[in-house]
Amino acid sequence: MRQRLGLMGRALSRQLSLPRHHLTTHLAEFARLVGPMPLILDIGSGRLAPYRPLFQYDRYLTLDYFEQADVRADGENLPFASGVARLALATEVFEHLPNPPQALAEIRRVLEEGGYLLITVPLIWGVHDYVDYQRWTARGLAKLLDEAGFEIVRLKHRGGIFSMIGCMTAQIPAQLFGPMAQQQRWWVAAVYALSWAMLAPLPWLGSLLDHFDRAQDFTLGYSVLCRKKL
């Protein structure tokens, strides 16, 4: 019962997630910019590929090393011929790769001339996997992509300082109690659920104030559309 409630809570938190909302909005914008694609490679997506519905395509291949997908491989060794894809997608993947330049070199290889790479990465977010290696600033991303042979078409911030404060505050229950599905005592689960319900609106309320963040030195992360240099 607790495990079921935990899974329901996780699904609800994803639906209400401000970072996920930013991701979906940015990816939808990028999908409109690039238009229909003959082949899309979704790297690190798992079987579900949650952003697949945003794109128009003839063929869509999911690729993952740890989860079930169309192709089982890691991002640093792609089992495809050179120049086969028009678009590669990597959402919240590169912070988990031990050698990002190698992954970018592989992606560039499998993209056709003028092909697109769509990448999203966190900046201010907690460690969220046992293989979580790095974070980048906007300038760091620009340098990394330029050296790998990509030019940035669009780079978007995922919220400002007020969104960031709200999202960090909303993570307090998980930091205090651990995952909801692992709670063994009913009263701990009840306190967890109550505190989560109280804090969940804070990211959205904070996002209303991001207009006043002139410096934009704090953000949850970046969404980047770039093109393979000719």
Side-chain angles (χ1 to χ4, degrees):
M1 183 64 175
R2 290 193 185 95
Q3 185 176 8
R4 183 178 179 182
L5 288 174
L7 293 175
M8 291 174 59
R10 183 183 301 175
L12 179 61
S13 66
R14 287 178 178 175
Q15 291 297 320
L16 298 177
S17 168
L18 178 65
R20 188 180 180 92
H21 168 74
H22 283 306
L23 275 176
T24 303
T25 301
H26 294 166
L27 294 180
E29 177 184 331
F30 294 163
R32 290 190 296 269
L33 283 173
V34 300
M37 293 281 126
L39 173 62
I40 296 177
L41 301 180
D42 195 341
I43 300 168
S45 64
R47 177 179 55 84
L48 296 178
Y51 305 110
R52 184 201 305 250
L54 302 176
F55 295 88
Q56 299 179 56
Y57 54 86
D58 296 327
R59 192 180 182 196
Y60 194 106
L61 283 179
T62 60
L63 183 148
D64 207 295
Y65 186 77
F66 296 103
E67 298 183 21
Q68 183 180 353
D70 296 325
V71 179
R72 187 178 187 274
D74 67 78
E76 297 173 9
N77 297 280
L78 300 178
F80 304 108
S82 299
V84 298
R86 179 87 51 88
L87 172 66
L89 179 66
T91 56
E92 309 300 275
V93 170
F94 268 74
E95 69 270 21
H96 303 295
L97 298 178
N99 190 354
Q102 171 61 26
L104 286 171
E106 272 291 272
I107 291 172
R108 190 178 190 281
R109 179 184 65 79
V110 302
L111 285 177
E112 62 183 49
E113 293 302 320
Y116 292 96
L117 167 62
L118 200 164
I119 178 175
T120 73
V121 294
L123 176 61
I124 300 176
W125 200 255
V127 176
H128 52 280
D129 203 327
Y130 72 96
V131 285
D132 188 350
Y133 295 111
Q134 57 259 315
R135 300 288 187 268
W136 290 274
T137 62
R139 289 183 178 178
L141 270 177
K143 182 175 184 293
L144 178 72
L145 291 166
D146 178 67
E147 291 176 349
F150 291 94
E151 59 180 348
I152 292 178
V153 178
R154 293 282 178 88
L155 186 148
K156 300 185 76 69
H157 293 69
R158 299 214 298 268
I161 189 170
F162 298 105
S163 290
M164 183 272 296
I165 291 172
C167 286
M168 295 302 100
T169 305
Q171 294 300 309
I172 289 175
Q175 297 300 305
L176 292 178
F177 303 115
M180 179 65 172
Q182 296 180 8
Q183 304 309 315
Q184 299 300 317
R185 299 179 180 179
W186 69 267
W187 63 269
V188 175
V191 172
Y192 189 119
L194 179 61
S195 59
W196 179 86
M198 293 173 59
L199 297 175
L202 292 182
W204 295 91
L205 294 174
S207 69
L208 300 176
L209 301 174
D210 280 340
H211 173 74
F212 301 103
D213 180 10
R214 303 302 184 191
Q216 293 190 333
D217 292 329
F218 294 85
T219 185
L220 294 167
Y222 302 98
S223 304
V224 188
L225 174 65
C226 51
R227 184 186 289 119
K228 178 179 176 179
K229 293 180 182 178
L230 300 177

